[in-house]
Amino acid sequence: MIDKLNSPQREAVTLPPQHALVLAGAGSGKTRVLTTRMAWLIQTGQVSPLGILAVTFTNKAAREMVGRVTSILPIDIRGMWIGTFHGLCNRMLRAHHRDAGLPQAFHILDTADQLASIKRLLKANGIDDDKYPPRDVQRFINGAKEEGQRPPDVEAYDSFRRRMVEIYTLYETQCQREGVVDFPELLLRAYELLSRNEPVRSHYQRRIKHVLVDEFQDTNTLQYKWLRLLAGGGASIFAVGDDDQSIYAFRGANVGNMSDFERDYAHGTVIRLEQNYRSFGHILDAANALITHNNGRLGKNLWTEQGEGEQIRVVEQPSDLAEAQWLVEEVRALISDGRDRSQIAVLYRSNAQSRVIEHALFSAGVTYKVYGGLRFFERQEVKHALGYLRLMANPDDDTSWMRVVNFPPRGIGARTLELLGDQAKAYDTSLSAAVARVPGKGGSNLSQFSMLVGRLSEETRMLPLPELVEHVIAQSGLIAHYEQDREGADRIENLNEIINAAAAFALEANMSGLPAGIVVQNPTAAEPDPMEEGLGGLSPLMAFLSHAALEAGDNQAQAGQDAVQLMTVHAAKGLEFDAVFITGMEEGLFPHENSVNDPSGLEEERRLMYVAITRARERLYFSLAQSRMLHGQTRYAMRSRFLAEVPEEHLKWLTPKQGLSDSEPRWKTSNYSGDTYGRQGGQAAPRQSTVPSKMLASGVTVGAQQFRVGQGVRHARFGEGTVIGLSGTGMDAQAQIQFREVGAKTLALGIAKLDIIQG
């Protein structure tokens, strides 16, 4: 089991029962260590499979864990808790739904359904969605939940936040009434269950002896608290992660959890996996040099036995069009040299960069795939079908009701739905229960829809899951609707694929005797597991819908076959390729303009660059453009400071290293903020910086509003701030604003919706 491990890997796998932090660098074999540790503990008799909990962030990673452990140990491991945070919390809440204050058949709202629910809430309560945009409300609510905060716990230090807290309260009431939970709620509700219910907490603390955590750097505050509660009975926590690859702060990930864990639990038991089995030396040395510019790292240094390999190729082009054309030519050369298209990746910091690259590849006839596009369960037609299926299980699910009540179109207009919503609110009922209170033709159309839902429920009551799904899709009118669409063939194929998915799900469930993907404790164990009772009563349809919601929430996509892979750097996390292009290496783009005035944001951008570099096995390219069309503007930019942070001996410039003279443009648009860097004579040269001279106006008028430096303003997304610079006139005017929570931003005053704070 351990013969093929290197020394640090073997040390980690064979640790005695104790808390430990494993700093696993990119390509250092962390998954092998994690799964071998589980197998080692079981095979040496230190724990039964029932005493292990292993948690990761994607369903793909969880399946890989199960597959690897199964390949090592010839035993039934179904009693082990291996899964994602959301999947395991869902499993726990199903078992203890009464203690958690939930109906057993609660539905899970994915991100899109949650947004639809919030939009409906704002409309029903007459809340201005310009001042309180639904996506911003969603971020506010989810952010609070990920910090473990209910509405009374959120600090409301101004009128805007007070209103957001009120909306959060309304949203909680709506979700509880409808019997639905969103993704952050799964975690928060599971944490509250353990923290407030001593018998439930004691049950899991007695059972769990070892907690193993993958990608620990991506945990948020609430996930860490949940893990600590589970391990509170004396379990050992084996945390594997890499603080240099923490790139999900925007999702709530707290890289500080690693330092906290080392201090509070590991107490110096830190094992560093630094031998890299993926990349050549120049690539690793560049990554090591870059990341040393970050402060507060736990520290490690990647190395390899594979040799130095090729230097990193650097190309600077006059425009983004020229950059894309060069990229296509280089890609074609790589393919001609025998490299598989699927082993060539083009990375970009912003999705807006992809259009020019896609057009160039398409025009050249180079097959490509945009990696990380819509997953199956997120596609429009699939979500419509799932909406009907959810109503079969719960007719009071207002989000699903609103999704399909007029799709396919059945003459139910916005006014009718508004009346229905008013009646539901007035009598505190679901939309379904309020149908009878809507008069006229609109009410009649609503009644016909209600009868359709009722009829489908009755007709499918005794059908097996695949036949149930097939019947609902056929009788809902979705197939007939898309048959009338000239481009509907693909959508119909996706609808038919839902039936296939249901059949596969049912087959897997029959093999285990439980809903697919759900495992319970061995029934012969001395202590009964309430999970068995909790899931045993779940209908096949409900189990399938839970599976679909969890799959839709998993942000890891599948790479395409025989096609050049295009993706954001964030999407590239966890992947590796023979050849990698990192495009747009310009200040304000990479690092992103939103981060350069925030030290923590800049460090996260550097970690993102570190992730990008370490995706490459053999060949790595940096490319940049002197001008670029982004967001409808031509922007002239400086070379990224990250280029200056990579030692020259690792770089091979394919274009002349042009120095930057005072006559060259630095600020052609003011949507960029932060220090700018250029390269002169091969050395990093800090440039002038942050606010250009044209931002020195003291006051401008835009429409009926007058803005002046020093004035207080409020933005729906960024909150309250102070104007520190102005430029331009009329509708072309721009303002640089120092916001209290997000730092400095430059906004176009003719577009941004700003409220002036009087006084």
Side-chain angles (χ1 to χ4, degrees):
M1 186 184 299
I2 63 175
D3 285 348
K4 295 183 179 180
L5 302 180
N6 63 35
S7 180
Q9 289 174 337
R10 189 179 302 113
E11 179 187 0
V13 166
T14 59
L15 278 173
Q18 66 184 85
H19 302 304
L21 176 62
V22 179
L23 280 180
S28 64
K30 72 174 179 64
T31 304
R32 169 186 283 190
V33 166
L34 200 66
T35 52
T36 308
R37 170 70 172 172
M38 284 188 273
W40 171 265
L41 289 170
I42 295 169
Q43 192 176 61
T44 56
Q46 298 181 60
V47 68
S48 78
L50 312 179
I52 288 180
L53 181 141
V55 61
T56 186
F57 281 85
T58 68
N59 291 311
K60 178 184 176 184
R63 286 191 293 268
E64 184 177 0
M65 275 191 198
V66 171
R68 290 203 186 193
V69 174
T70 303
S71 69
I72 298 173
L73 294 178
I75 64 172
D76 184 357
I77 65 168
R78 288 182 298 164
M80 295 173 65
W81 276 40
I82 302 177
T84 64
F85 279 99
H86 291 116
L88 294 177
C89 287
N90 171 58
R91 177 178 166 183
M92 181 178 289
L93 293 174
R94 297 290 181 189
H96 307 282
H97 62 93
R98 293 186 184 88
D99 293 318
L102 290 170
Q104 183 180 18
F106 67 82
H107 283 303
I108 302 171
L109 298 178
D110 64 20
T111 303
D113 285 337
Q114 183 193 26
L115 184 63
S117 179
I118 290 171
K119 289 178 179 177
R120 177 163 45 83
L121 175 76
L122 297 179
K123 184 175 182 180
N125 288 275
I127 299 172
D128 185 355
D129 60 5
D130 286 331
K131 190 171 184 180
Y132 302 95
R135 290 190 184 277
D136 293 343
V137 172
Q138 184 180 40
R139 277 190 289 267
F140 179 86
I141 291 172
N142 290 350
K145 289 187 178 185
E146 287 164 358
E147 290 294 321
Q149 296 177 332
R150 294 294 184 189
D153 305 319
V154 180
E155 182 184 3
Y157 46 72
D158 58 30
S159 58
F160 180 78
R161 279 181 69 88
R162 280 194 294 274
R163 187 56 168 153
M164 291 289 268
V165 171
E166 292 171 359
I167 296 172
Y168 183 8
T169 304
L170 292 170
Y171 173 74
E172 282 210 320
T173 302
Q174 175 175 288
C175 288
Q176 191 68 28
R177 184 182 68 245
E178 297 176 8
V180 297
V181 298
D182 52 47
F183 281 115
E185 182 71 18
L186 285 172
L187 288 162
L188 180 53
R189 190 75 66 123
Y191 170 74
E192 291 173 340
L193 172 67
L194 291 177
S195 61
R196 298 173 182 176
N197 191 307
E198 196 280 332
V200 174
R201 181 173 67 252
S202 296
H203 165 77
Y204 289 104
Q205 289 180 345
R206 286 194 305 270
R207 170 178 174 168
I208 296 170
K209 304 303 180 186
H210 289 269
V211 176
L212 298 96
V213 190
D214 189 20
E215 304 286 6
F216 190 75
Q217 77 280 351
D218 293 336
T219 56
N220 61 33
T221 301
L222 187 59
Q223 288 163 342
Y224 188 29
K225 287 182 177 179
W226 184 72
L227 291 170
R228 294 178 66 173
L229 275 179
L230 286 171
S236 299
I237 304 178
F238 186 84
V240 181
D242 183 0
D243 55 335
D244 291 333
Q245 295 189 72
S246 179
I247 59 172
Y248 295 124
F250 67 95
R251 293 183 191 163
N254 181 6
V255 67
N257 284 347
M258 295 196 73
S259 297
D260 291 345
F261 177 79
E262 193 278 329
R263 181 186 65 246
D264 299 336
Y265 285 89
H267 301 305
T269 305
V270 179
I271 299 174
R272 288 169 169 81
L273 305 183
E274 298 174 303
Q275 182 175 358
N276 179 281
Y277 295 92
R278 175 188 301 161
S279 308
F280 284 101
H282 278 303
I283 294 170
L284 297 180
D285 290 343
N288 288 331
L290 174 91
I291 204 64
T292 58
H293 289 79
N294 275 5
N295 298 315
R297 298 172 58 235
L298 292 169
K300 66 182 179 311
N301 199 64
L302 298 178
W303 61 277
T304 182
E305 294 180 342
Q306 298 186 87
E308 287 191 337
E310 301 174 351
Q311 291 174 299
I312 300 168
R313 292 161 166 81
V314 187
V315 173
E316 183 175 19
Q317 296 291 345
S319 69
D320 52 350
L321 294 174
E323 179 193 33
Q325 189 56 49
W326 162 81
L327 186 149
V328 168
E329 293 171 1
E330 192 66 28
V331 165
R332 294 174 80 171
L334 289 170
I335 295 171
S336 296
D337 289 343
R339 294 190 187 268
D340 293 338
R341 289 175 176 84
S342 61
Q343 285 303 317
I344 302 172
V346 180
L347 310 184
Y348 36 81
R349 176 63 183 86
S350 169
N351 271 313
Q353 294 171 249
S354 72
R355 183 190 63 81
V356 173
I357 298 171
E358 288 187 59
H359 180 73
L361 289 168
F362 175 79
S363 299
V366 177
T367 305
Y368 71 91
K369 174 180 174 58
V370 179
Y371 179 91
L374 285 178
R375 293 173 59 83
F376 178 78
F377 287 114
E378 296 172 333
R379 295 169 188 168
Q380 180 202 74
E381 62 277 12
V382 175
K383 291 181 73 66
H384 285 325
L386 292 177
Y388 279 100
L389 293 171
R390 287 190 174 114
L391 289 179
M392 300 303 97
N394 178 12
D396 293 329
D397 180 351
D398 286 358
T399 298
S400 296
W401 177 278
M402 289 298 293
R403 172 175 286 279
V404 300
V405 66
N406 197 42
F407 195 92
R410 46 179 60 91
I412 300 173
R415 178 57 183 160
T416 297
L417 293 176
E418 185 177 347
L419 287 172
L420 178 65
D422 290 342
Q423 293 298 320
K425 182 180 178 182
Y427 290 91
D428 194 26
T429 66
S430 66
L431 296 176
S432 174
V435 166
R437 301 182 182 277
V438 179
K441 184 179 179 181
S444 175
N445 290 340
L446 287 172
S447 295
Q448 290 181 28
F449 175 71
S450 287
M451 287 188 287
L452 169 65
V453 172
R455 186 177 74 251
L456 290 176
S457 296
E458 182 60 28
E459 291 170 350
T460 59
R461 190 166 55 88
M462 302 300 294
L463 292 179
L465 177 63
E467 293 179 27
L468 181 156
V469 173
E470 181 177 16
H471 184 83
V472 170
I473 289 175
Q475 297 302 314
S476 65
L478 290 173
I479 295 287
H481 173 78
Y482 288 119
E483 284 177 342
Q484 304 304 314
D485 186 348
R486 288 182 302 174
E487 300 178 359
D490 289 341
R491 297 189 186 276
I492 293 173
E493 286 183 7
N494 288 333
L495 290 174
N496 289 327
E497 188 60 27
I498 301 176
I499 304 168
N500 297 336
F505 181 88
L507 178 62
E508 184 180 349
N510 287 336
M511 290 173 62
S512 66
L514 289 166
I518 299 171
V519 293
V520 301
Q521 179 175 325
N522 188 328
T524 63
E527 183 180 7
D529 191 342
M531 189 64 65
E532 185 171 1
E533 178 184 353
L535 291 175
L538 201 60
S539 72
L541 177 58
M542 275 303 308
F544 177 66
L545 292 173
S546 293
H547 161 76
L550 291 169
E551 281 287 308
D554 189 349
N555 50 45
Q556 182 71 21
Q558 297 294 322
Q561 295 293 320
D562 196 30
V564 176
Q565 304 293 301
L566 272 61
M567 67 193 74
T568 65
V569 182
H570 279 101
K573 173 82 185 307
L575 304 178
E576 55 186 77
F577 304 91
D578 288 345
V580 171
F581 295 80
I582 305 176
T583 63
M585 291 285 294
E586 300 136 32
E587 281 292 304
L589 187 55
F590 202 3
H592 196 273
E593 60 190 356
N594 291 343
S595 69
V596 292
N597 284 334
D598 176 9
S600 64
L602 183 57
E603 291 204 346
E604 175 132 343
E605 289 290 300
R606 191 173 284 111
R607 292 194 293 269
L608 195 58
M609 182 64 183
Y610 177 86
V611 167
I613 291 173
T614 54
R615 299 309 94 197
R617 295 192 192 101
E618 300 171 7
R619 185 174 290 187
L620 179 61
Y621 298 84
F622 295 158
S623 70
L624 61 149
Q626 295 169 349
S627 67
R628 182 176 301 276
M629 181 69 73
L630 281 176
H631 312 299
Q633 295 178 316
T634 298
R635 179 167 70 181
Y636 297 82
M638 302 296 187
R639 296 172 186 158
S640 169
R641 70 188 71 195
F642 296 154
L643 281 170
E645 295 174 359
V646 175
E648 282 290 325
E649 61 263 28
H650 304 306
L651 302 179
K652 179 181 180 180
W653 287 76
L654 303 185
T655 52
K657 294 184 292 181
Q658 304 166 4
L660 295 171
S661 67
D662 290 339
S663 64
E664 291 187 57
R666 297 195 182 103
W667 271 84
K668 289 295 184 180
T669 65
S670 54
N671 59 348
Y672 159 69
S673 58
D675 294 331
T676 57
Y677 285 73
R679 182 183 294 276
Q680 288 184 320
Q683 300 297 319
R687 289 292 174 185
Q688 304 259 19
S689 168
T690 60
V691 182
S693 59
K694 72 174 188 175
M695 290 292 290
L696 299 180
S698 60
V700 297
T701 300
V702 180
Q705 288 184 301
Q706 292 184 330
F707 295 91
R708 55 180 173 76
V709 173
Q711 188 174 50
V713 294
R714 180 185 294 109
H715 186 271
R717 176 179 177 185
F718 302 133
E720 293 187 357
T722 303
V723 178
I724 60 175
L726 293 163
S727 69
T729 59
M731 298 304 290
D732 294 326
Q734 295 179 319
Q736 189 175 53
I737 302 167
Q738 183 69 39
F739 288 101
R740 180 186 299 175
E741 292 189 345
V742 298
K745 302 284 182 184
T746 302
L747 304 179
L749 294 176
I751 300 174
K753 296 179 180 179
L754 291 171
D755 293 330
I756 295 174
I757 300 175
Q758 302 298 330

